[in-house]
Amino acid sequence: MFDACEICGDTGWSVVYEGRIRAGGFGQTYEAGRVGRCGGCGVERLDEACSIDSAAYESEAYRAALGQGLSTEAFFAHADPTQLQNLTALWPLSLRGKILADIGCGAGSFLDHVSGLAAEIIAIEPTPLYRDSLGQRGYAHFAYASDAAAARPASVDIAVTFQVIEHVSDPVGFLRDIHALLKPGGEIVIATPNRADILMTLLPDEFPAFYYRQVHRWYFAADSLRLCAEKAGFTVNEERFVHGFGMANALSWLRDRKPTGHRTLPGIDRTADSQWRAYLEATGQADTLYLRARRPL
Ligand SMILES: [Zn+2]
């Protein structure tokens, strides 16, 4: 059913989930999902037969499948609220005066938040619609990291790639391309949904149908993401967990056993949210996993 693991080479997969997964936008489903866990590195993988062809990354239909709409405005509406989370994960890494690349930057929400700090920015995004907008806004841009690395090898101080690695066919190859783009000593910050999200533990019968989705091939926990970065030649500095949702989201899930979109509940305020986030981030149960690694000198 599964080939040798693209990360560790192991062939011993066990099926950990079969059934309904998310198909695209909110509420859309695909019934025949199947997820395996690698016995070697622990990464989880969606059966390729259930996955969306990676050649579709450049298409606007792919963005539609992500539920993100087809305009830069729709992208910003989705992505802008997540940038505090990304900035929190970067802190205290300073971007001031650095050459920065964002791989899979979409329409450039994160780049807009930091463009006054970096000396130079390289925007990497396969969707032509977004590249047109990035170019009009003055960003140097490429479709793929391999294109940028061919044009400007070993030129970047800091590379970020937020919520991208879970989509690609070959995650080690994806990171190797970024490795070639970085200067020796340059750093990468990788973000991906955390397989150890507390809702996977609290709601093992309901949450997986929401967590697993057709557009995500890979489901990483800290150990498997670390190994993936090491296979690509990086030295891992730090893993960090950041939780985007507030306490009301988890309580709504526990009450309703389905996604409701609720971000607020009576009696749950910002103090409750901050305590809840601090607990999940300290115990590795937050919704987003960040890994910071370095291309060795
Ligand atoms: Zn593996």
Side-chain angles (χ1 to χ4, degrees):
M1 179 179 87
F2 295 101
D3 295 333
C5 176
E6 283 86 341
I7 296 167
C8 75
D10 201 282
T11 54
W13 293 89
S14 54
V15 174
V16 293
Y17 182 79
E18 285 185 294
R20 178 176 297 175
I21 59 175
R22 253 203 280 179
F26 193 83
Q28 293 178 289
T29 59
Y30 173 85
E31 298 302 320
R34 189 158 54 166
V35 179
R37 183 179 298 156
C38 173
C41 70
V43 77
E44 292 185 4
R45 191 205 203 293
L46 186 63
D47 187 345
E48 192 64 24
C50 315
S51 299
I52 291 178
D53 185 355
S54 57
Y57 290 154
E58 300 183 15
S59 73
E60 296 180 2
Y62 189 77
R63 286 288 160 183
L66 290 172
Q68 291 182 349
L70 297 177
S71 66
T72 53
E73 290 71 22
F75 180 87
F76 293 143
H78 160 83
D80 284 351
T82 70
Q83 299 312 335
L84 180 60
Q85 194 173 350
N86 290 331
L87 291 165
T88 300
L90 280 174
W91 188 89
L93 187 67
S94 175
L95 303 178
R96 187 174 296 281
K98 300 289 172 52
I99 300 176
L100 171 71
D102 184 351
I103 296 89
C105 66
S109 170
F110 175 75
L111 295 176
D112 287 347
H113 281 73
V114 299
S115 63
L117 275 175
E120 188 182 355
I121 283 173
I122 299 173
I124 299 172
E125 168 57 42
T127 310
L129 175 77
Y130 296 153
R131 273 210 316 286
D132 290 347
S133 172
L134 291 160
Q136 286 160 13
R137 280 146 57 218
Y139 293 117
H141 57 88
F142 295 90
Y144 293 98
S146 53
D147 301 334
R152 303 193 43 175
S155 65
V156 164
D157 295 299
I158 297 172
V160 299
T161 181
F162 301 130
Q163 316 287 352
V164 178
I165 194 169
E166 62 273 15
H167 298 266
V168 306
S169 297
D170 175 10
V172 174
F174 171 75
L175 293 182
R176 281 198 182 116
D177 290 340
I178 301 173
H179 187 278
L181 180 61
L182 282 167
K183 294 175 181 172
E187 290 200 54
I188 184 172
V189 178
I190 308 161
T192 193
N194 182 18
R195 171 64 182 76
D197 186 319
I198 194 167
L199 287 176
M200 290 292 272
T201 309
L202 289 174
L203 290 167
D205 296 327
E206 293 90 358
F207 193 68
F210 184 78
Y211 175 79
Y212 297 122
R213 62 195 81 179
Q214 267 194 293
V215 291
H216 290 179
R217 276 188 175 71
W218 303 98
Y219 305 93
F220 291 97
D223 287 356
S224 48
L225 187 60
R226 171 183 287 264
L227 182 69
C228 189
E230 289 170 350
K231 291 274 185 187
F234 288 100
T235 302
V236 173
N237 295 343
E238 181 187 22
E239 55 214 23
R240 191 179 288 193
F241 301 91
V242 181
H243 197 68
F245 286 103
M247 194 179 201
N249 175 264
L251 292 175
S252 296
W253 262 103
L254 289 168
R255 184 187 63 188
D256 301 328
R257 310 226 150 217
K258 62 181 183 184
T260 60
H262 289 163
R263 289 176 177 267
T264 59
L265 281 177
I268 304 299
D269 62 10
R270 291 166 67 92
T271 303
D273 285 341
S274 67
Q275 300 284 337
W276 175 241
R277 288 192 177 107
Y279 169 68
L280 297 179
E281 291 169 5
T283 57
Q285 300 179 93
D287 53 40
T288 307
L289 163 62
Y290 288 84
L291 193 80
R292 189 167 144 190
R294 182 182 297 275
R295 175 175 175 170
L297 289 170

